[in-house]
Amino acid sequence: MILLKPKKYLFALLVLTALQAACSFAQSTIRVPADVPTIQAGIDRAQNEDTVLVAPGVYNENINFEGKAITVTTGATSFSNATSAIINGSTDGPVVTFSKNEPPGAVLNGFTIQHGHASVASGVPGGGVYINDASPTISNNVIANNTGCGVFVINQASPMIQGNDIKQSQYPSASVQDTDCSSPYGNTQSGTGLALMQAGNVHVRGNVIEDNALDLSRQEYGEPQGAGILIVHTISLLLQSNIIRNNLAISNPAIGGLEGGMFQELVMVQNLIYGNSSGTYSNGGIFLSGTLGTPLPTVTEINNTIYGEQEMILVFGPSTIENNILVDPHGPQNPNDPNNYAGLFCGDSLATNSPFSIQNNDIYNFDTLQDGECHLGTGNLSVDPAFLDPTTSDFHEQTTSPTVAAGNMSAPMIPHADLDNKARTVCNTIDMGAYELRPHPPIALTSSANPAPGGTPLTFTARLTGNCNVPTGTITFLDGNAAIGTGMLDGSGIADLTTSFLVVGQHYITAHYPGDFNFDDSTSDVLMQTITGDPTSTSLSVSPNPASAFSPITLSSAVVSKYGTPTGSVVFESGTTMLATAPLNGNGGATATISNLGAGPYTITANYTADTRFQPSISAPVQETVVDANTVTALTASPNPAAVTQTVTFTASVRRGAQGTMIPTGNVILMDGATDLGTATLNASGLAVFQISTLSFGTHSITARYVGSSNFNPSSATLTEAITSIGTSLTLMASPNPANNGQTVTLTAGAASALSGMVPFGQVTFRDGMTVLGTAPLNDTGVATFTTASLAVGTHPLQAMLVTGSSIFSGSMSPVVNEVVQAYDFTISASRSSLSLPSGDWSIMTVTVTPVGGFKSSVALNCDGVPDHTQCVFPGGASVSLADGAKTVQLAINTSDVYGYGDRVSRMMMPPSIGGRVSEVLAVLLFPTFSFLGLAGKKRNVFGTLRKLGLALGILAVMIGLQSCSGMFPAKTAPGNYSVTIVGTSTDGTALRHTVPLQLVVTP
C-alpha cells in the first residue's frame, strides 16, 4: 500500500475529480438498436452534444427531441441515401417534434420520415416534422407521404432546413377526418410541403420540394395557401438553391408553387420553380402579398428560374428583382383572368409606387415585354431563354441563349456556385437564371512522333485553352473507346501521357476533360497515330475437314517473320464471327479447339493482331465443311412390366454418336408397333419424356424414333413393354367372432387394387374350408357381404375368393379367418316333479336354471297350465341372469286367489270341527278380558308378563273372529289333479325355451 502525504493526496484527489468531470461531459454515441431498442429511447438517454446513431430498419414511432442539443443521424450525406432508416409515424401527431426551444445543435439527419397524421378528435397537428419555438437543423432527409405538412414551422421557430426531399404530403379535404397543420393562433392557412406560420428567421437551402397536394374545399378566399411553400406572419425566410416542382393546389385560389403574405423579409436566391399547378391553371408559380403596415416587407429575388404562371407581387417596400428568368408558357395574358399580366405582375398602386429595382431579368410570355404595372428597370429582356428541353424539365440554357452573360454582376447576394454546384460567374459575367453556362475549353492534342516505330516511347500532349481561369484536373487519353492513361493538368492547362505499349497499326487517339468548377467537359478531335513494325505472315490449318456438327475442330496457326519470332495472339474467324483467340507460343504458333460449329460450309481465317513490334497479318482462307452428326437413341420404360391402365413413363435419350458435347435438338416420335403414341421435343438434356396409360393387356413393341434436325441425323431405339392385369388383394372379416350356435354371422370381403384410384370388380365366393357357403358381387367400393346362421358348433376356416372374369384385374384369395361357433343354451330343473296341496294352502319348491356353452344372458320364468284360483309365484323375481353361472330360485304354489293367504292366515286356521260360532264367542269373551289385563299391567310390575300375554291373545281373538266370518275369505282351487308346466325363455332375442312338468294334486 502506497501512502501519500496530505498535500500529495489532495493534489491526486483534485486530478481524479477533474478526470471524472471530463468523463462526465465527454460526448458519447448511442447506437440504435444495438444499445437501445428505439430512437426515442436513444434520445431519452442522450445528453447535450451526444450522437444517436441509428442503423437501417423501420422504426414505428413518433419522436420528440425534448429540448436536447443532440445529433440523431444515420450518417447519410444526402437525401438520396436516406432511405435505409425509416421513421414511420404510428400515433396521432407529427412524426418528429421540436417544441422545447431546441438550438441549431439539435440535428435530424438522414432519415425517411413518413405517415405523420392526426385525427380531428386528437386536436394535434399531423405531418412529418413539427418545429415550434425551436431552431434545429433538418438535413438530408426524405420527408414523404405525410398527412398535413411535410415540415411545419411556427411560433418564432428559426430552423435550418437543408438538403431534404419534401414530397407527397397531402392536405386533406373537409371530408377526411384529419387535422391540417394550421397555426395555433386561429389561422386556417395551410401549406403542404413547407408551412411557415409565426416563424422567425428560417433558412431553406438545397432542398427539393415536390409532388405535394393541397385541397382548398374548406378554405376561405383570400387567405394565403401554398401547396409547395406557404409563408404567413414570418420574420424572414432565405430560400437558396432549392427546386420547387410539381406541387398541386387542387382548387382556386391557391398557388401550386409558393405563396406568401404578412412577412418582413423574403430572400430568394437561385431557386428552380416549375411544373406547379393551381386550380384550373396548368401552372402555379409565386404569389406574394405584402401588408400596409410598417415597415413594408421586402423581397429580394436573385438568379431564380421560374417556369409557370405569372409571379404576382403586391404591396411591398424596397425590393430587388434581378438576374431572374420568368417564363409564362400561357402567353401574354392569363386566359382565365384577362386583367392579370403574365410573367411578372405588381398590379397595385402601392406596389407600383414602391421603390423596386427590377432589372436584368428575362420576363418572357411569348409576346412583347409586359410591364405588369411594375415600372421595370434596365437590362430586362422578353425573349425565349432557349432552355435545353423544358418538356423533360431541363432548364439549362443552350450556348446560344440570350440570357448568357446578360445578368447584373452588381446584383446583391450572388452565390459562389450555381444550382449544379459549379462556378456562378464566368470571368466577371453572370447568366440569368439558376444555372451558369460554363465554357467547354478546346483541347489541342499532339503526338511526339507520328508515325513511330513500335515499342518506342511516345508522348501525347493535351493543351486546354481557358479564359480568365485555367482548367484544372485530370485528362484521360483514349485509344478508340479504351483508356490508355491519364495526365494531370499543370498551371498552364497542359497534360502529357508517355507510353510505349501501342501495338503496330493505326490508333484513334482522343483526350477527354471532365470539367472542373469553372469549366464544363471537353473532348479533343481524333489524332490518327501510326505505329510501324516488322512484316509477318500467317498460315492456318483446320482438322478434321470435313467434321461432324458440334464435334471438336482444331484450328492451328503459325505466324512468322524474317526479323524474329512474333508475340501476341491470333484471332480465328469465320467471316466476321470470331471463333476463338489463342496466344502465340515461343515458336510463333497458336492452337485453339472449338466445338460450336453446326452443319454447313465455313470460310475460316487466322488473324494475327500484331504487337508493339510486328505488323498484323491474315492467313489465306480455309474452307471447312461441317456435316450433320450421327446420333444414338436409347429408350427406357418404367415400370416394366406394368398393369393395365397404369401410367408408364417412356424416356428417350438422344446423344451424338461421335465426339462432341452439343446435345441434339428436335422431336422424338413414340410408336407402339405401327400406332403413333405421341411426339415430344428434346429438352436441354437431350431427353424426350412420354407418359402413356392406354396400353392394353399383353406385350407391346415400343419404338422411339428421333426424326433428326439441321445438324443431327435420325436414330431410333426399341424395347418390349409387358402389360399385365392389375393385381388385387382381398381381405375377409367375420362378425361376430366368436358366434353362438344359430347366431347370424356376417362375412365381409374387401377388394383392393394394386393401382391407386382403381376399384376391382367381380364375384366373391365365400367358403367354409372346401364347402361353398355362397357368393356375392363387389359393389362400387370394392366390398361384398354374405350372411349365414347355419354354422355348427366348432371352428370354421372361412376364406373369400375373388373371380374378376376380366383381363383388367387378376383374382385373389383372402387369408383364412377362423370363425368359432360355440354352444349356446340353458337347462331348467325343479326340486319336485309333483306336489299335493290342500285347497287354499301353499307350498315352496326350488327351480334351477343352468347355462350351456357361452350362454350368459337372462332367462324369464313363468308357469303354464295353472288351474283356477291357483298362483305360481317366484318371490325373488321372474327373471334370472346367468352371467355368473347357474342360479336356483324359489317357486311358491298357492291354491288361493290371494297370494300369501296360505302363508299368513292358514297357519292360524282352527280345525273345521272347532270353527263356526265357537270361535266368534271366544273372540268376544277373550278380547275385553285380556285387554283389561293389559291395561292393568301398566300399573303393577307383577302383572308385566300377563299384560303382554293379554295383548297377544286379544289380537289372536280378533283374527279368529275374522276367520269365522265366511263372507270375508278368498276363493280356493277346487280339488283335483292338474298338469302344470314350469317355463324358462331366453331374453336376448335367441328365443331359446325349455320346460319342466309339475303334477299338482289339490286335496279337499
Side-chain angles (χ1 to χ4, degrees):
M1 181 177 179
I2 300 175
L3 298 176
L4 299 177
K5 293 181 179 181
K7 291 184 178 180
K8 292 184 178 180
Y9 176 79
L10 179 59
F11 177 74
L13 182 60
L14 291 174
V15 171
L16 179 61
T17 302
L19 290 174
Q20 289 176 340
C23 291
S24 66
F25 287 103
Q27 299 177 12
S28 63
T29 298
I30 301 166
R31 291 171 173 81
V32 179
D35 299 330
V36 291
T38 64
I39 300 174
Q40 187 62 54
I43 295 172
D44 294 341
R45 178 182 292 188
Q47 303 295 324
N48 285 341
E49 300 185 8
D50 283 353
T51 296
V52 178
L53 183 60
V54 181
V58 177
Y59 299 86
N60 295 309
E61 55 181 310
N62 298 58
I63 65 173
N64 191 317
F65 267 61
E66 301 292 348
K68 297 181 180 181
I70 59 176
T71 297
V72 180
T73 181
T74 62
T77 57
S78 71
F79 68 73
S80 61
N81 54 14
T83 58
S84 61
I86 299 172
I87 308 178
N88 192 55
S90 57
T91 61
D92 272 0
V95 182
V96 183
T97 297
F98 298 89
S99 60
K100 296 183 180 179
N101 199 29
E102 287 86 355
V107 178
L108 176 71
N109 179 79
F111 295 91
T112 293
I113 300 166
Q114 64 183 25
H115 297 160
H117 60 277
S119 64
V120 172
S122 69
V124 298
V129 179
Y130 178 60
I131 306 172
N132 183 347
D133 191 21
S135 303
T137 301
I138 313 299
S139 61
N140 303 322
N141 303 284
V142 175
I143 304 172
N145 294 305
N146 295 285
T147 300
C149 292
V151 179
F152 185 24
V153 182
I154 69 168
N155 197 16
Q156 305 305 311
S158 301
M160 165 67 78
I161 301 171
Q162 181 167 322
N164 304 280
D165 187 5
I166 305 172
K167 62 181 181 180
Q168 297 167 353
S169 303
Q170 294 187 3
Y171 174 69
S173 67
S175 62
V176 179
Q177 292 302 305
D178 290 277
T179 61
D180 57 22
C181 48
S182 60
S183 168
Y185 302 104
N187 298 312
T188 58
Q189 301 92 343
S190 297
T192 306
L194 171 63
L196 309 178
M197 300 181 186
Q198 303 283 1
N201 301 301
V202 182
H203 287 197
V204 180
R205 299 176 184 267
N207 302 276
V208 177
I209 302 174
E210 58 184 338
D211 300 321
N212 300 286
L214 173 65
D215 186 341
L216 294 183
S217 60
R218 60 179 182 180
Q219 297 298 311
E220 296 294 334
Y221 184 84
E223 296 173 344
Q225 298 99 15
I229 298 177
L230 171 68
I231 314 163
V232 178
H233 293 290
T234 293
I235 296 175
S236 70
L237 170 64
L238 170 63
L239 287 175
Q240 182 169 337
S241 300
N242 301 283
I243 298 176
I244 305 170
R245 63 189 178 193
N246 303 329
N247 299 286
L248 170 64
I250 295 176
S251 59
N252 290 327
I255 299 300
L258 181 151
E259 181 165 359
M262 295 168 283
F263 55 83
Q264 295 181 19
E265 182 181 22
L266 170 64
V267 177
M268 296 176 58
V269 177
Q270 198 168 264
N271 300 281
L272 174 62
I273 303 175
Y274 69 90
N276 301 287
S277 300
S278 175
T280 57
Y281 306 143
S282 60
N283 292 280
I286 299 176
F287 184 94
L288 303 176
S289 60
T291 177
L292 295 176
T294 56
L296 292 174
T298 63
V299 174
T300 302
E301 292 187 39
I302 306 296
N303 280 103
N304 299 281
T305 297
I306 303 175
Y307 187 86
E309 289 181 0
Q310 77 281 350
E311 178 179 356
M312 300 185 67
I313 302 177
L314 307 174
V315 191
F316 283 95
S319 298
T320 301
I321 301 174
E322 298 188 24
N323 298 346
N324 302 283
I325 298 177
L326 309 175
V327 177
D328 187 344
H330 287 107
Q333 288 184 324
N334 189 321
N336 299 291
D337 188 353
N339 296 317
N340 284 347
Y341 289 94
L344 179 65
F345 177 69
C346 295
D348 187 277
S349 59
L350 290 176
T352 302
N353 295 325
S354 298
F356 282 10
S357 174
I358 304 176
Q359 60 185 10
N360 293 88
N361 303 283
D362 183 12
I363 307 173
Y364 180 58
N365 46 42
F366 300 96
D367 203 328
T368 58
L369 177 64
Q370 300 293 321
D371 182 275
E373 301 182 17
C374 293
H375 295 280
L376 302 178
T378 62
N380 294 295
L381 304 175
S382 181
V383 295
D384 186 345
F387 294 131
L388 281 177
D389 190 359
T391 62
T392 60
S393 304
D394 189 345
F395 294 96
H396 294 82
E397 296 98 323
Q398 301 179 36
T399 57
T400 58
S401 171
T403 64
V404 174
N408 180 12
M409 282 293 297
S410 299
M413 303 186 70
I414 293 176
H416 175 63
D418 73 349
L419 206 57
D420 286 334
N421 202 30
K422 296 293 185 72
R424 175 69 267 190
T425 61
V426 177
C427 297
N428 205 35
T429 65
I430 186 169
D431 299 344
M432 295 177 179
Y435 297 101
E436 193 74 21
L437 183 66
R438 289 163 296 276
H440 300 271
I443 302 175
L445 178 62
T446 60
S447 170
S448 60
N450 194 5
T456 60
L458 184 65
T459 299
F460 296 104
T461 300
R463 291 179 172 84
L464 276 70
T465 301
N467 44 26
C468 62
N469 300 301
V470 177
T472 61
T474 301
I475 298 293
T476 300
F477 296 89
L478 300 98
D479 183 0
N481 293 322
I484 59 175
T486 61
M488 184 66 68
L489 288 169
D490 62 15
S492 300
I494 299 173
D496 294 326
L497 173 69
T498 300
T499 179
S500 58
F501 296 103
L502 294 181
V503 300
V504 176
Q506 299 295 323
H507 298 269
Y508 301 88
I509 307 300
T510 57
H512 177 72
Y513 172 57
D516 64 4
F517 184 72
N518 293 296
F519 294 93
D520 275 337
D521 63 311
S522 295
T523 300
S524 71
D525 294 334
V526 175
L527 169 66
M528 182 71 74
Q529 177 69 49
T530 301
I531 304 297
T532 61
D534 296 329
T536 63
S537 64
T538 300
S539 62
L540 171 66
S541 64
V542 181
S543 179
N545 193 0
S548 7
F550 305 112
S551 63
I553 299 174
T554 300
L555 309 175
S556 300
S557 177
V559 182
V560 297
S561 173
K562 64 180 180 179
Y563 301 102
T565 302
T567 60
S569 60
V570 171
V571 177
F572 299 98
E573 297 176 320
S574 173
T576 59
T577 302
M578 187 182 73
L579 302 178
T581 299
L584 292 177
N585 58 28
N587 299 318
T591 301
T593 300
I594 60 174
S595 301
N596 58 349
L597 295 184
Y602 296 88
T603 300
I604 300 176
T605 58
N607 298 288
Y608 171 55
T609 58
D611 63 6
T612 57
R613 175 182 170 187
F614 294 94
Q615 296 179 8
S617 58
I618 186 170
S619 72
V622 174
Q623 297 299 320
E624 170 73 3
T625 300
V626 179
V627 299
D628 289 343
N630 292 328
T631 61
V632 175
T633 298
L635 179 63
T636 62
S638 178
N640 191 3
V644 175
T645 74
Q646 186 175 6
T647 298
V648 180
T649 300
F650 295 97
T651 303
S653 173
V654 182
R655 296 289 183 269
R656 60 179 300 123
Q659 290 182 330
T661 58
M662 180 64 69
I663 302 297
T665 59
N667 295 329
V668 174
I669 298 174
L670 192 69
M671 306 289 292
D672 178 7
T675 302
D676 188 343
L677 297 179
T679 301
T681 301
L682 290 174
N683 61 21
S685 300
L687 302 177
V689 180
F690 304 83
Q691 290 189 321
I692 308 298
S693 61
T694 57
L695 296 179
S696 60
F697 179 82
T699 300
H700 298 262
S701 178
I702 306 297
T703 299
R705 181 166 60 86
Y706 170 56
V707 299
S709 67
S710 59
N711 293 304
F712 296 96
N713 291 320
S715 59
S716 63
T718 301
L719 60 74
T720 299
E721 174 73 17
I723 303 299
T724 64
S725 298
I726 302 173
T728 62
S729 60
L730 199 62
T731 60
L732 178 63
M733 292 189 303
S735 179
N737 191 3
N740 297 319
N741 183 28
Q743 188 175 4
T744 298
V745 176
T746 299
L747 305 180
T748 302
S753 167
L755 290 182
S756 176
M758 301 291 291
V759 178
F761 54 83
Q763 196 80 5
V764 176
T765 299
F766 298 91
R767 300 190 309 185
D768 180 2
M770 298 304 295
T771 303
V772 175
L773 298 177
T775 61
L778 290 174
N779 62 19
D780 56 5
T781 63
V783 175
T785 59
F786 176 79
T787 59
T788 179
S790 61
L791 297 179
V793 174
T795 300
H796 297 264
L798 303 180
Q799 193 172 26
M801 179 178 68
L802 172 62
V803 178
T804 65
S806 169
S807 62
I808 296 178
F809 292 100
S810 62
S812 57
M813 296 283 289
S814 74
V816 172
V817 174
N818 290 313
E819 172 73 17
V820 177
V821 179
Q822 59 190 6
Y824 186 81
D825 207 346
F826 66 91
T827 62
I828 184 170
S829 62
S831 60
R832 302 177 65 168
S833 59
S834 63
L835 176 63
S836 178
L837 188 66
S839 177
D841 205 352
W842 62 273
S843 181
I844 298 294
M845 59 183 292
T846 61
V847 176
T848 300
V849 184
T850 304
V852 177
F855 189 91
K856 295 182 180 295
S857 297
S858 295
V859 175
L861 300 173
N862 66 299
C863 297
D864 285 345
V866 178
D868 293 340
H869 309 299
T870 294
Q871 296 185 53
C872 178
V873 178
F874 294 90
S879 179
V880 179
S881 173
L882 303 185
D884 299 323
K887 293 291 178 62
T888 298
V889 298
Q890 288 184 332
L891 171 62
I893 304 297
N894 187 358
T895 56
S896 170
D897 279 341
V898 178
Y899 172 69
Y901 172 78
D903 185 21
R904 296 192 301 273
V905 179
S906 63
R907 288 179 297 171
M908 294 182 286
M909 289 177 59
M910 298 182 64
S913 59
I914 314 177
R917 298 296 299 171
V918 176
S919 59
E920 293 179 52
V921 173
L922 288 174
V924 173
L925 294 176
L926 291 175
F927 182 80
T929 302
F930 287 105
S931 297
F932 173 79
L933 290 175
L935 293 174
K938 294 180 180 180
K939 296 181 180 181
R940 298 181 183 181
N941 293 333
V942 57
F943 293 110
T945 300
L946 293 176
R947 181 193 62 189
K948 295 178 181 179
L949 178 60
L951 287 172
L953 291 175
I955 293 171
L956 177 61
V958 171
M959 294 176 66
I960 293 173
L962 290 173
Q963 185 181 17
S964 65
C965 299
S966 60
M968 298 178 62
F969 295 107
K972 302 175 183 179
T973 304
N977 292 328
Y978 301 96
S979 294
V980 177
T981 301
I982 302 172
V983 181
T985 305
S986 64
T987 61
D988 59 359
T990 58
L992 296 176
R993 187 174 185 276
H994 295 285
T995 62
V996 176
L998 174 65
Q999 191 67 34
L1000 176 62
V1001 178
V1002 181
T1003 60

